[in-house]
Amino acid sequence: MLVFALLAAGLVAVGYVHFHDYEQHYRTEVERQLSAVAELKAGELAAWRAERLADATVLFRSAVFAALVRRALGNPKDLESREQLHGWLRQVRDAYQYSTRMFP
């Protein structure tokens, strides 16, 4: 009976050690996967931001666009310049596939 108890205790101890090792390995693997996903997402966000800044730079550096904005904002009653500005922004929205929430 003592031999059986010692054998059972040994099996329980080995099972516990094996389970603990498996748990650590599994946790490390999940943490590695989550870290990889986080790095990918951070890279995607950085690329998205760079693209939006590049889009804005194109508009910012356009003398024609700047003059149109000045005309439209400087004289709110100038419906022609406002319509031209809206047309320009619609083209930007469609070309860069922005949602209608950005440029209605």
Side-chain angles (χ1 to χ4, degrees), residues 24-80:
Q24 287 298 103
H25 176 70
Y26 186 77
R27 181 180 303 269
T28 301
E29 182 62 23
V30 168
E31 288 173 354
R32 188 191 63 74
Q33 289 175 359
L34 288 174
S35 180
V37 168
E39 286 180 30
L40 286 172
K41 280 298 178 187
E44 288 175 357
L45 284 172
W48 178 86
R49 182 178 181 273
E51 290 171 3
R52 300 298 73 78
L53 288 173
D55 297 345
T57 300
V58 167
L59 294 176
F60 178 74
R61 291 188 177 162
S62 170
V64 174
F65 182 75
L68 183 58
V69 169
R70 276 193 293 278
R71 275 188 22 224
L73 295 179
N75 184 4
K77 293 181 182 180
D78 184 357
L79 297 180
E80 180 183 350

Side-chain angles (χ1 to χ4, degrees), residues 1 8 12 34 47 59 75-76 81-82 89-90 95:
M1 183 74 154
V12 169
L34 288 174
L59 294 176
N75 184 4
S81 65
R82 290 177 62 83
L89 291 175
R90 275 192 296 276

